[in-house]
Amino acid sequence: MTNANQNVLELDNIKMYFPIKSPFLKRTVGYVKAVDDISLSIRKGETLGIVGESGCGKSTLGRVIMRIYNPTSGEIRINGEDITRAKGQELKKVRKQCQMVFQDPFASLNPTMRVGEIVSEPLWVNKIMDKKGAESKAKELFERVGLRESDFYKFPHEFSGGQKQRVGIARALALNPNLIIADEAVSALDVSIQAQILNLLNELKAEYHLAYMFITHNLAVVKHISDRIGVMYLGHLVELADKKEIFDHPLHPYTEALLSAVPVVDKRKRRERIILSGDTPNPAKPPSGCPFSNRCPKCMEICKTAAPKKMVLENGHQVACHLYQ
Amino acid sequence: MVKQFKKVMRSPISWIAFTLITVFVLCAVLSPILAPYDAGAQNLRERFVPPFWMEGGSLNHILGTDDLGRDILSRLIYGSRTSIAVGFLAACFSGGIGITLGLLSGYFSKLDGIIMRIADIQLAFPQILLSLSIVAIFGGGFTKLILVLGITGWVSYARVIRSEVLSIKTSDYILAAQTEGVGGARILLRHILPNIIARAVTISTFQMATAIITESSLSFLGLGIPPNVPTWGNMLQSGQLFVDSAWWLSFFPGLCIMLIVLSINLLGDVLRDSLAPKTS
Ligand SMILES: Nc1ncnc2c1ncn2[C@@H]1O[C@H](COP(=O)(O)OP(=O)(O)OP(=O)(O)O)[C@@H](O)[C@H]1O
Ligand SMILES: [Mg+2]
């Protein structure tokens, strides 16, 4: 690929199928197709927002990139290096380039460890510096994310949700990664705190030359922070384009429905609310053809039988929908 | 810590349990000072003296004497040493084995199958029966008894610890540590162990109580501690011959066993409620 050195992350046809086991004999009776054939890339210093409703496989995608799960098939490249099958020391090395901020600030900090230890640990465990050096580097990070040095020896339960998330961000920054995957990093916080954390992430982005993959179900958040936006539905990436393109010219009917649910102040831009009928299908039994076909207001005959292919328009706008084939 | 302790002590039950345990432990540590007589001192002219409040009893022997004229109270005080030492050491030993195997079994799915099958097989035999058979084959005595109780008691730790580890190891904070490159050993010892230590302490109290009962039962059957050593089980055993005519020989050791087991179990309940790691 010509622009390989421009991309921090490249995903080729990533699939993550979780086997469903029968209760007694533990035989595989089917698969939850949590991520189904997703390809995308993130450029250096770019923020890619991933949106979609609960259960569409956003977290699974993030965890596959972090190699918490091993993908069923496909290829993951970080800075051009294939890490899909990396193991042991090699995996440790690539993981330094890609870190994660978790959704739940309560669950992502060990209640029995002081936050200072949590943040400095990655530095000396990876032999980047000794314990003393790690501690002073961690104190710097504390200051940078807006915590006090006196917070260093506190336990997680002594902090508010927003402060905990700052600790989580400091931890992710410690290894000086190129890419941070933020999985619903602000969803558990109050709206005012959300804005503070989003601003912090935006500041850090320039300072540390970071790229973000920002996973959320909240379109307002994604609008605030992203350069490009990918829309997921039932394990598929149905649309991917620049933020402005997505908000001004959404192509996929699912994206249109998502956008119509966002309150808009400007009267001229206000759209008619599209209410989707039916529930999200079970990812173990997706509809044949297009995954969105059973709820799509513009469903055609072909949608029920054939899966749409990914189309790329001249301006880089990608969509998988029969309306445009 | 102090604040928590005060809160716990507000409930009368835990207060009683805690006091009883303190008394027993003091008896064990200070037996030579507290006991009015030597535990083995026989006095054949004063056999079967009843407790002081009964006819024929005297304040010289508050809880009476046994068939050889030995002072019951003194023997009970010395007996607390054996019970507490056996209970404590057995719980530590089985805890050491059980926690280690539980951690390994929960974290490394390759070891899980083997360790848990062994645990299942061992669970098919009640602990007392297993201990009885081993002691019957290899003989009793203090050290062997502790080893046997340790080996037969690890399963109750291992199973609980394993299931705790299974749920903790998929939590976000462990995933975070893994993605930062923290190694398996450090994750187990520094990240997971402190989160389960409270559970382990709780189990160890119940395990201590079980060990005390098992020791007493084995001694009662003549298979535990040698009969010349004053233990509650041995006293119960020698007293049962005279239970019609001199009930106090067996009643008091039985009461002691019951009280210590009950208070340890109560303390275990209290610990379980108060030691859980804080999450918010
Ligand atoms: N470890 C797993 N084993 C089996 N199935 C899983 C596993 N993790 C996720 N799934 C399934 O994969 C699907 C996608 O889950 P995922 O957590 O990625 O969704 P999500 O988009 O992050 O949702 P949310 O917004 O609720 O966080 C769900 O149907 C879920 O049940
Ligand atoms: Mg999720």
Side-chain angles (χ1 to χ4, degrees), chain A residues 16-20 32-35 50-63 69 103 183-184 215-217 232 234-235 281-284, chain B residues 170:
Chain A
M16 183 70 229
Y17 293 177
F18 293 108
I20 307 169
V32 177
K33 300 182 174 179
V35 170
I50 297 282
V51 280
E53 42 191 3
S54 185
C56 70
K58 306 182 296 289
S59 298
T60 306
L61 182 65
R63 286 170 178 222
Y69 302 143
Q103 165 170 12
D183 184 0
E184 308 270 13
I215 297 172
T216 179
H217 60 268
M232 274 182 78
L234 214 63
N282 179 350
Chain B
T170 56

Coordinates of all heavy atoms in Angstrom, one line a residue, chain A residues 16-20 32-35 50-63 69 103 183-184 215-217 232 234-235 281-284, chain B residues 170, ligand 1:
Chain A
M16 N -14.8 -11.2 13.7 CA -14.7 -11.8 15.0 C -16.0 -12.5 15.3 O -17.1 -11.9 15.5 CB -14.5 -10.7 16.0 CG -14.3 -11.2 17.5 SD -12.7 -12.0 17.7 CE -13.3 -13.5 18.5
Y17 N -15.9 -13.9 15.2 CA -17.1 -14.7 15.5 C -16.9 -15.4 16.8 O -15.9 -16.1 17.0 CB -17.3 -15.8 14.4 CG -17.6 -15.3 13.0 CD1 -17.7 -16.2 11.9 CD2 -17.8 -13.9 12.7 CE1 -18.0 -15.7 10.6 CE2 -18.1 -13.5 11.5 CZ -18.2 -14.4 10.4 OH -18.4 -13.9 9.2
F18 N -17.9 -15.2 17.7 CA -17.8 -15.9 19.0 C -18.6 -17.2 18.9 O -19.8 -17.1 18.5 CB -18.4 -15.1 20.1 CG -17.6 -13.8 20.4 CD1 -18.1 -12.6 20.1 CD2 -16.4 -14.0 21.1 CE1 -17.3 -11.5 20.4 CE2 -15.6 -12.8 21.4 CZ -16.1 -11.6 21.1
P19 N -18.0 -18.3 19.1 CA -18.8 -19.6 19.0 C -19.9 -19.6 20.1 O -19.7 -19.2 21.2 CB -17.8 -20.7 19.2 CG -16.6 -20.0 19.8 CD -16.6 -18.6 19.5
I20 N -21.1 -20.2 19.7 CA -22.1 -20.4 20.7 C -22.1 -21.9 21.0 O -22.2 -22.7 20.1 CB -23.5 -20.1 20.1 CG1 -23.5 -18.6 19.6 CG2 -24.6 -20.2 21.2 CD1 -24.7 -18.3 18.8
V32 N -21.9 -16.0 17.1 CA -22.3 -14.6 17.1 C -21.3 -13.8 16.3 O -20.1 -13.8 16.6 CB -22.2 -14.1 18.6 CG1 -22.6 -12.6 18.6 CG2 -23.1 -14.8 19.5
K33 N -21.8 -13.3 15.2 CA -20.9 -12.5 14.3 C -20.8 -11.1 14.8 O -21.4 -10.2 14.3 CB -21.4 -12.6 12.9 CG -21.5 -14.0 12.4 CD -22.0 -14.1 10.9 CE -22.0 -15.5 10.5 NZ -22.4 -15.6 9.1
A34 N -20.0 -10.9 15.8 CA -19.9 -9.6 16.5 C -19.3 -8.6 15.6 O -19.7 -7.4 15.6 CB -19.2 -9.7 17.8
V35 N -18.2 -9.0 14.9 CA -17.6 -8.1 13.9 C -17.5 -8.9 12.6 O -17.0 -10.0 12.6 CB -16.2 -7.6 14.3 CG1 -15.5 -6.9 13.2 CG2 -16.3 -6.7 15.5
I50 N -16.5 5.9 15.9 CA -17.3 4.7 15.5 C -18.6 4.8 16.3 O -18.6 4.8 17.5 CB -16.5 3.4 15.9 CG1 -15.2 3.2 15.1 CG2 -17.4 2.2 15.6 CD1 -15.3 2.8 13.7
V51 N -19.7 4.8 15.5 CA -21.0 4.9 16.2 C -21.8 3.7 15.8 O -21.6 3.1 14.8 CB -21.8 6.2 15.9 CG1 -21.3 7.3 16.7 CG2 -21.8 6.4 14.4
G52 N -22.8 3.5 16.6 CA -23.7 2.4 16.4 C -24.5 2.0 17.7 O -24.0 2.4 18.8
E53 N -25.6 1.3 17.6 CA -26.4 1.1 18.8 C -25.7 0.0 19.6 O -24.8 -0.7 19.1 CB -27.8 0.8 18.5 CG -28.1 0.0 17.3 CD -29.5 -0.1 16.8 OE1 -30.4 0.6 17.4 OE2 -29.8 -0.9 15.9
S54 N -26.3 -0.2 20.8 CA -25.7 -1.2 21.7 C -25.7 -2.6 21.1 O -26.7 -3.0 20.5 CB -26.6 -1.2 23.0 OG -26.0 -2.0 23.9
G55 N -24.6 -3.3 21.2 CA -24.6 -4.7 20.7 C -24.2 -4.8 19.3 O -24.1 -5.9 18.8
C56 N -23.8 -3.7 18.6 CA -23.5 -3.8 17.2 C -22.0 -4.2 17.0 O -21.6 -4.4 15.9 CB -23.7 -2.5 16.5 SG -22.6 -1.2 17.0
G57 N -21.2 -4.4 18.1 CA -19.9 -4.9 18.0 C -18.8 -3.9 18.1 O -17.6 -4.2 17.8
K58 N -19.1 -2.7 18.6 CA -18.1 -1.6 18.7 C -17.0 -2.0 19.6 O -15.8 -1.9 19.3 CB -18.8 -0.3 19.2 CG -20.0 0.1 18.4 CD -20.5 1.5 18.9 CE -21.0 1.4 20.3 NZ -22.3 0.7 20.4
S59 N -17.4 -2.5 20.8 CA -16.4 -2.8 21.8 C -15.5 -4.0 21.3 O -14.3 -4.0 21.5 CB -17.0 -3.2 23.1 OG -17.7 -2.1 23.6
T60 N -16.2 -4.9 20.7 CA -15.5 -6.1 20.2 C -14.4 -5.7 19.2 O -13.3 -6.2 19.2 CB -16.5 -7.1 19.5 OG1 -17.5 -7.4 20.5 CG2 -15.8 -8.4 19.1
L61 N -14.8 -4.7 18.3 CA -13.8 -4.2 17.3 C -12.6 -3.6 18.0 O -11.4 -4.0 17.7 CB -14.5 -3.2 16.4 CG -13.6 -2.6 15.3 CD1 -13.2 -3.7 14.3 CD2 -14.3 -1.4 14.6
G62 N -12.9 -2.8 19.0 CA -11.8 -2.2 19.8 C -10.9 -3.3 20.5 O -9.7 -3.2 20.5
R63 N -11.5 -4.3 21.0 CA -10.8 -5.3 21.7 C -10.0 -6.2 20.8 O -9.0 -6.8 21.1 CB -11.8 -6.2 22.6 CG -12.2 -5.4 23.8 CD -13.3 -6.0 24.5 NE -13.6 -5.1 25.7 CZ -13.8 -5.5 26.9 NH1 -13.9 -6.8 27.2 NH2 -14.0 -4.7 27.9
Y69 N -9.1 -10.0 22.1 CA -9.6 -11.1 21.4 C -8.8 -11.4 20.2 O -8.3 -10.4 19.6 CB -11.0 -10.9 20.9 CG -12.0 -10.6 22.0 CD1 -13.0 -9.6 21.8 CD2 -12.0 -11.2 23.3 CE1 -14.0 -9.3 22.8 CE2 -12.9 -10.9 24.3 CZ -13.9 -9.9 24.0 OH -14.8 -9.6 25.0
Q103 N -14.5 2.2 29.2 CA -15.8 2.9 29.4 C -16.0 3.2 30.8 O -16.3 4.3 31.2 CB -16.9 2.0 28.8 CG -18.3 2.4 29.3 CD -19.4 1.7 28.6 OE1 -19.2 0.7 27.9 NE2 -20.6 2.2 28.8
D183 N -13.1 3.5 24.3 CA -14.3 2.7 24.2 C -15.3 3.4 25.1 O -15.3 3.2 26.3 CB -14.1 1.3 24.5 CG -15.4 0.5 24.3 OD1 -16.4 1.0 23.9 OD2 -15.3 -0.8 24.5
E184 N -16.2 4.2 24.6 CA -17.3 4.8 25.4 C -16.6 5.6 26.6 O -17.1 5.5 27.7 CB -18.3 3.8 26.0 CG -18.9 2.9 25.0 CD -20.2 3.5 24.4 OE1 -20.4 4.7 24.6 OE2 -20.9 2.7 23.7
I215 N -15.0 5.2 20.2 CA -16.1 4.4 20.1 C -17.2 5.0 21.0 O -17.0 5.2 22.2 CB -15.8 3.0 20.6 CG1 -14.7 2.4 19.7 CG2 -17.0 2.1 20.6 CD1 -14.2 1.1 20.1
T216 N -18.4 5.1 20.4 CA -19.5 5.7 21.3 C -20.9 5.4 20.6 O -20.9 5.1 19.4 CB -19.4 7.2 21.5 OG1 -20.4 7.7 22.3 CG2 -19.3 7.9 20.2
H217 N -21.9 5.5 21.4 CA -23.3 5.4 20.8 C -23.9 6.8 20.7 O -25.0 6.9 20.2 CB -24.1 4.4 21.6 CG -24.3 4.9 23.0 ND1 -23.5 4.5 24.0 CD2 -25.2 5.8 23.5 CE1 -23.9 5.1 25.1 NE2 -24.9 5.9 24.9
M232 N -21.6 1.7 12.5 CA -21.7 0.2 12.5 C -23.1 -0.3 12.7 O -23.9 0.4 13.5 CB -20.8 -0.4 13.6 CG -19.4 -0.6 13.2 SD -18.4 -1.3 14.6 CE -18.9 -3.0 14.5
L234 N -24.9 -4.1 13.4 CA -24.9 -5.6 13.5 C -23.5 -6.2 13.0 O -23.5 -7.1 12.2 CB -26.0 -6.1 12.6 CG -26.7 -7.4 13.2 CD1 -27.3 -7.2 14.5 CD2 -27.7 -7.9 12.2
G235 N -22.4 -5.6 13.4 CA -21.1 -6.2 13.1 C -20.6 -5.7 11.8 O -19.4 -6.0 11.5
P281 N -31.8 -7.2 15.1 CA -31.8 -8.6 15.1 C -30.7 -9.2 16.0 O -29.7 -8.6 16.3 CB -31.6 -9.0 13.6 CG -31.5 -7.7 12.9 CD -31.4 -6.6 13.9
N282 N -30.9 -10.5 16.4 CA -29.9 -11.2 17.1 C -28.7 -11.4 16.2 O -28.8 -11.9 15.1 CB -30.6 -12.6 17.5 CG -29.6 -13.5 18.3 OD1 -28.5 -13.2 18.4 ND2 -30.2 -14.5 18.8
P283 N -27.5 -11.0 16.7 CA -26.3 -11.1 15.9 C -26.0 -12.6 15.6 O -25.1 -12.8 14.7 CB -25.2 -10.4 16.7 CG -25.7 -10.3 18.0 CD -27.2 -10.3 18.0
A284 N -26.6 -13.5 16.3 CA -26.3 -14.9 15.9 C -27.2 -15.4 14.7 O -26.9 -16.3 14.1 CB -26.6 -15.8 17.1
Chain B
T170 N -11.6 -11.2 33.7 CA -12.1 -10.5 32.5 C -12.5 -9.1 32.8 O -13.1 -8.4 32.0 CB -13.4 -11.3 32.0 OG1 -14.3 -11.4 33.1 CG2 -13.0 -12.6 31.5
Ligands
LIG1 N1 -16.6 -12.5 24.8 C1 -17.8 -12.7 24.1 N2 -18.3 -13.9 23.9 C2 -19.4 -14.1 23.2 N3 -20.1 -13.1 22.7 C3 -19.7 -11.8 22.8 C4 -18.5 -11.6 23.6 N4 -18.3 -10.2 23.6 C5 -19.3 -9.7 22.9 N5 -20.2 -10.6 22.4 C6 -21.4 -10.4 21.6 O1 -21.0 -9.7 20.5 C7 -22.0 -8.7 20.2 C8 -21.4 -7.3 20.2 O2 -20.9 -6.9 21.5 P1 -20.2 -5.6 21.8 O3 -19.9 -5.6 23.3 O4 -19.0 -5.5 20.9 O5 -21.2 -4.5 21.5 P2 -21.2 -2.9 21.6 O6 -21.4 -2.3 20.3 O7 -19.9 -2.5 22.3 O8 -22.4 -2.6 22.6 P3 -22.5 -1.6 23.8 O9 -22.8 -0.2 23.2 O10 -23.6 -2.1 24.6 O11 -21.2 -1.6 24.5 C9 -23.1 -8.8 21.3 O12 -24.1 -9.5 20.8 C10 -22.4 -9.6 22.4 O13 -23.3 -10.4 23.0

